[in-house]
Amino acid sequence: MAEWNAYYQNEDEEQEQEEAELAGGDYKVSGRDSLVFLVDASKEMFIKGEDGQPSNFDMTMQVVRSVYTSKIISSHRDLVALVFYGTEQSKNPRNSFKHVYVYHDLDEPGAKRVQEVDALRGEKGAQLAAQTMGSGETSLGDALWCCANLYSDIKLRLSHKRLMIFTCRDEPHGGDSAKDRQARTKASDLKETGVFIDLMHLIKPGGFDVSLFFRDIVSPPEDESELGLQLEPCDKLDDLQKRVRARDTKKRALARLSLSLGEGLNVAVGMYATAVGARKPAAIRLYRETNEPVRSKTRTFHTQTGSLLLPSELKKAQVYGRKQIVMESDEVNAIKKFDEPGLFLIGFKPMEKLKLHHHIRPSVFIYPEEDNVKGSACLFSALLKKCSERKVFALCRGIFRRNYPPRFVALVPQMEEVDEGKVQITPPGFNVIYLPFADDLRTVDPPRCPPASQTQVDKMKEIIYKLRFKYRSDAFENPVLQQHFRNLEALALDMMAPEDIEDLIMPKVDQIDQRLGPLVEEFKDLVYPAGYNPETKPAPKRKTADAGGGAEKKPKVEVTEDELKTHMQNGTLAKLTVPMLKEACKQFGIRTTGTKKQDLIDALSERMGS
């Protein structure tokens, strides 16, 4: 018989399906993401920039390397390929296309591929590229056709197919209308098969004119949250990495829900996690002889007969009033179910009613799902606009998965923001703030400390004002995680030693002292007595026997027989502590098989009831 808080153990093969379970019984097991880098290998790509700036080819290889390493860490099952076009040499499946060099087929990224991309960086990388591939004629149509064959050769299920073109030539064929027509036709064929084509155009003398050719090649934005084709070329490595990261970042919904605005008025929304805590990957158990991953399975056996128990033979129970209430798993699920998953609108409140202490856990983000319910984007946009104009938030009741308890949430409007490069910083939608229940709010007695004088407060305000700076979460990396992945990278790439990391969370003492000047000493003079040294610890005071410094008194654990009978009648034996229950068992000479609280209660109940 299973306890009330015991749940069925799932097999390893069932865990992936449960993680992909969406609300409302909608199951969608996602496939793998795929990304093809199609890089221009013409001579113009190898020209260095002004003031020692790296060439466009070198910047592209750094971005490719960054994507490879990030996918190894975050999503190693994704497929990545690297293809060069406009080369003198040809290397592709069946060598069907001239001037197309497939450097990496569509496959999972690994340490060897990172090393091969590293070999193409810098001056030596440019020389190696010239020797291996060279620069020749350009046929973007053949390159796109070759990429289509790479996708067709993959037998795995692909959930997302993306192709990124890196080039600094706005007319790759030099005005050849036949090649332009062939490239447009092949790009259209690729888009019909579900491949999204993006252009990462790089800086060139005289400017890059997208309208000459590439406007008809790239795919339109997948939804309103994407900005589509960027008209300004990338002239810096940071800008190029930011654009690639924005395009390649997965946008997978945690759940798809229905936002009910009234009777018969529903909006389909997707729920997303905007920020996820970074942590070390879980350890994987390996079989020491073959080094293969070990899969664990859980089986439940009968304690008396030793026979294997099936999930249908397991039941759950709860002790209530000295009786064991047995329930089937279906009955337990029915008790846990409150309502169908979704968001139900209760009303609207002014934004000033939402306090900082109402944020009890990380928020999530909702965005309309036009594919599920037509018209959701229009109605969602109107609701977002009005809530933002009137500075109100929507109060809702939310159930985010089956058998989840209901929560009260606040939908806080968030309008779209873009940076100078027209890259989206914050998407439009609602932030879902989890609100506390009344039981979660407690009155805490503040610690009693001597109050500070107004002079001391003013001096501390000056110190705080001097130390203020604009905080950005992406400016501070976790040094433990960085060192962990640097060590793994060094082992995988056969480096002599891992790269040094800079601990960005350590305070810059010299800069702080320069900013504060004499303020610290002035504050010490106001607060601490003369000659005070905070680094010296005072000697601990020893209590004498006369001062009551003897052995500490132990709490009372004795319970009389009358008190035990009273607890038995009221069913409050569980309120006694374990030492009190043990002492009671000793008084009545009861031998117990275990030391857990429930074992002691059962033994006393059996003795007192007989």
Side-chain angles (χ1 to χ4, degrees):
M1 189 75 66
E3 292 292 334
W4 178 261
N5 59 350
Y7 296 93
Y8 295 125
Q9 299 290 334
N10 296 315
E11 305 292 344
D12 285 348
E13 58 266 17
E14 297 174 359
Q15 290 182 358
E16 184 174 328
Q17 181 178 358
E18 285 199 350
E19 291 175 359
E21 178 183 349
L22 301 177
D26 179 18
Y27 291 82
K28 181 179 178 182
V29 181
S30 300
R32 303 191 187 191
D33 284 0
S34 59
L35 174 62
V36 175
F37 293 104
L38 186 57
V39 182
D40 186 0
S42 61
K43 295 180 180 179
E44 290 85 348
M45 288 284 289
F46 293 90
I47 299 176
K48 284 192 173 183
E50 299 177 356
D51 301 329
Q53 292 292 325
S55 64
N56 289 329
F57 185 85
D58 193 18
M59 282 201 306
T60 303
M61 290 302 101
Q62 292 187 52
V63 170
V64 172
R65 198 231 190 232
S66 175
V67 173
Y68 273 28
T69 54
S70 65
K71 283 192 175 294
I72 290 174
I73 294 172
S74 61
S75 49
H76 65 279
R77 291 170 59 87
D78 290 352
L79 306 180
V80 189
L82 177 59
V83 181
F84 296 99
Y85 72 96
T87 60
E88 183 179 355
Q89 304 296 326
S90 301
K91 179 189 172 186
N92 49 77
R94 299 175 292 277
N95 287 326
S96 305
F97 309 100
K98 294 182 178 180
H99 311 295
V100 178
Y101 197 99
V102 178
Y103 202 72
H104 290 151
D105 290 323
L106 262 177
D107 203 352
E108 297 178 2
K112 183 179 179 181
R113 290 195 168 195
V114 175
Q115 291 175 327
E116 291 172 350
V117 173
D118 278 338
L120 295 176
R121 295 168 55 188
E123 291 282 352
K124 294 183 179 179
Q127 296 175 3
L128 177 63
Q131 296 172 3
T132 307
M133 302 175 292
S135 299
E137 297 182 10
T138 299
S139 176
L140 187 58
D142 288 345
L144 295 175
W145 198 339
C146 178
C147 294
N149 289 345
L150 292 180
Y151 280 115
S152 61
D153 292 340
I154 296 297
K155 305 304 179 184
L156 300 171
R157 178 179 178 182
L158 301 178
S159 64
H160 201 74
K161 296 183 284 188
R162 188 177 292 275
L163 186 148
M164 292 186 181
I165 303 175
F166 293 81
T167 183
C168 63
R169 295 185 295 167
D170 48 11
E171 286 187 294
H173 304 128
D176 190 334
S177 58
K179 288 186 176 181
D180 287 352
R181 194 182 313 112
Q182 181 193 12
R184 291 189 179 98
T185 302
K186 203 60 211 174
S188 178
D189 295 341
L190 273 174
K191 287 183 276 189
E192 288 180 359
T193 60
V195 178
F196 294 92
I197 303 176
D198 288 325
L199 174 64
M200 300 296 160
H201 49 302
L202 306 165
I203 195 70
K204 63 164 287 191
F208 195 105
D209 190 355
V210 179
S211 61
L212 292 177
F213 173 72
F214 280 102
R215 186 181 294 275
D216 302 326
I217 298 295
V218 298
S219 301
E222 299 178 53
D223 52 46
E224 294 181 0
S225 65
E226 297 199 4
L227 297 174
L229 183 59
Q230 303 292 327
L231 299 179
E232 294 295 329
C234 295
D235 57 348
K236 296 181 179 179
L237 177 61
D238 292 340
D239 295 338
L240 184 59
Q241 287 181 336
K242 189 183 298 183
R243 286 192 185 180
V244 172
R245 194 180 303 116
R247 292 291 186 182
D248 186 51
T249 302
K250 298 176 183 177
K251 302 179 182 66
R252 290 181 176 172
L254 298 175
R256 289 181 172 85
L257 307 171
S258 174
L259 172 59
S260 177
L261 303 179
E263 187 175 354
L265 188 59
N266 297 324
V267 177
V269 296
M271 188 171 69
Y272 301 87
T274 54
V276 180
R279 57 179 61 89
K280 291 182 182 179
I284 301 176
R285 295 181 179 180
L286 302 176
Y287 188 48
R288 59 181 175 184
E289 294 185 3
T290 62
N291 223 27
E292 294 180 353
V294 177
R295 301 180 63 184
S296 61
K297 293 186 177 182
T298 304
R299 294 287 183 265
T300 307
F301 296 91
H302 197 283
T303 55
Q304 297 178 356
T305 64
S307 60
L308 178 65
L309 296 177
L310 300 175
S312 59
E313 297 174 328
L314 297 176
K315 302 182 187 303
K316 298 183 180 181
Q318 172 71 28
V319 177
Y320 185 80
R322 298 177 59 187
K323 292 184 179 181
Q324 199 174 48
I325 312 299
V326 182
M327 292 186 179
E328 301 288 344
S329 59
D330 296 339
E331 295 174 326
V332 175
N333 292 333
I335 291 175
K336 290 161 59 177
K337 183 176 181 180
F338 185 86
D339 201 352
E340 292 296 328
L343 291 166
F344 180 79
L345 179 64
I346 298 175
F348 299 92
K349 288 281 188 180
M351 287 298 300
E352 54 266 19
K353 294 291 185 180
L354 188 63
K355 306 300 182 183
L356 186 62
H357 62 269
H358 290 163
H359 297 65
I360 58 175
R361 56 172 289 184
S363 63
V364 294
F365 187 77
I366 60 173
Y367 192 80
E369 295 281 337
E370 185 70 17
D371 295 338
N372 294 352
V373 177
K374 296 297 181 184
S376 294
C378 181
L379 187 55
F380 186 91
S381 178
L383 178 64
L384 176 66
K385 183 178 179 181
K386 287 299 179 184
C387 287
S388 179
E389 289 177 354
R390 299 185 181 184
K391 297 181 179 180
V392 296
F393 66 87
L395 182 63
C396 297
R397 184 201 71 197
I399 301 176
F400 299 103
R401 288 188 186 274
R402 258 186 295 156
N403 298 335
Y404 267 40
R407 298 300 304 257
F408 291 114
V409 295
L411 305 187
V412 179
Q414 173 180 290
M415 303 305 290
E416 183 184 30
E417 295 180 9
V418 296
D419 62 6
E420 298 176 354
K422 301 300 181 182
V423 176
Q424 190 182 76
I425 302 175
T426 56
F430 284 98
N431 288 298
V432 181
I433 309 296
Y434 293 86
L435 299 177
F437 289 106
D439 299 339
D440 297 328
L441 300 176
R442 298 179 299 277
T443 303
V444 180
D445 295 330
R448 295 182 179 180
C449 301
S453 64
Q454 189 60 40
T455 307
Q456 295 171 344
V457 172
D458 293 340
K459 185 61 67 175
M460 180 52 68
K461 284 183 178 179
E462 293 183 38
I463 293 176
I464 293 174
Y465 179 77
K466 290 284 188 180
L467 295 180
R468 290 179 66 182
F469 67 96
K470 190 174 181 180
Y471 173 75
R472 285 175 40 244
S473 59
D474 58 347
F476 298 92
E477 297 175 338
N478 188 334
V480 176
L481 289 179
Q482 292 299 316
Q483 188 65 53
H484 174 76
F485 290 120
R486 290 288 190 278
N487 294 340
L488 291 181
E489 184 180 19
L491 288 173
L493 302 181
D494 295 330
M495 295 180 178
M496 296 296 295
E499 296 181 9
D500 295 331
I501 64 166
E502 181 183 359
D503 192 349
L504 299 175
I505 65 174
M506 291 295 293
K508 300 178 180 179
V509 180
D510 296 337
Q511 188 175 351
I512 291 174
D513 292 341
Q514 185 178 0
R515 281 190 179 186
L516 293 180
L519 289 177
V520 175
E521 295 299 327
E522 294 174 4
F523 180 76
K524 286 182 179 179
D525 295 338
L526 288 173
V527 176
Y528 300 113
Y532 174 77
N533 186 3
E535 296 182 359
T536 59
K537 296 182 179 180
K541 296 181 180 179
R542 299 182 61 183
K543 295 183 179 180
T544 60
D546 298 337
E552 295 183 0
K553 296 181 179 180
K554 294 183 178 180
K556 179 184 177 182
V557 296
E558 295 182 0
V559 183
T560 63
E561 185 175 355
D562 294 336
E563 291 177 348
L564 280 176
K565 289 181 178 180
T566 303
H567 283 297
M568 282 286 299
Q569 293 173 0
N570 298 333
T572 57
L573 274 177
K575 290 187 177 181
L576 300 178
T577 62
V578 172
M580 296 173 73
L581 293 171
K582 285 184 177 179
E583 187 65 28
C585 290
K586 287 181 181 179
Q587 290 179 12
F588 294 101
I590 302 173
R591 293 184 178 181
T592 58
T593 56
T595 58
K596 292 184 178 179
K597 190 172 187 178
Q598 188 61 45
D599 297 337
L600 300 174
I601 292 174
D602 293 341
L604 282 171
S605 301
E606 184 178 354
R607 174 63 181 271
M608 300 294 291
S610 60

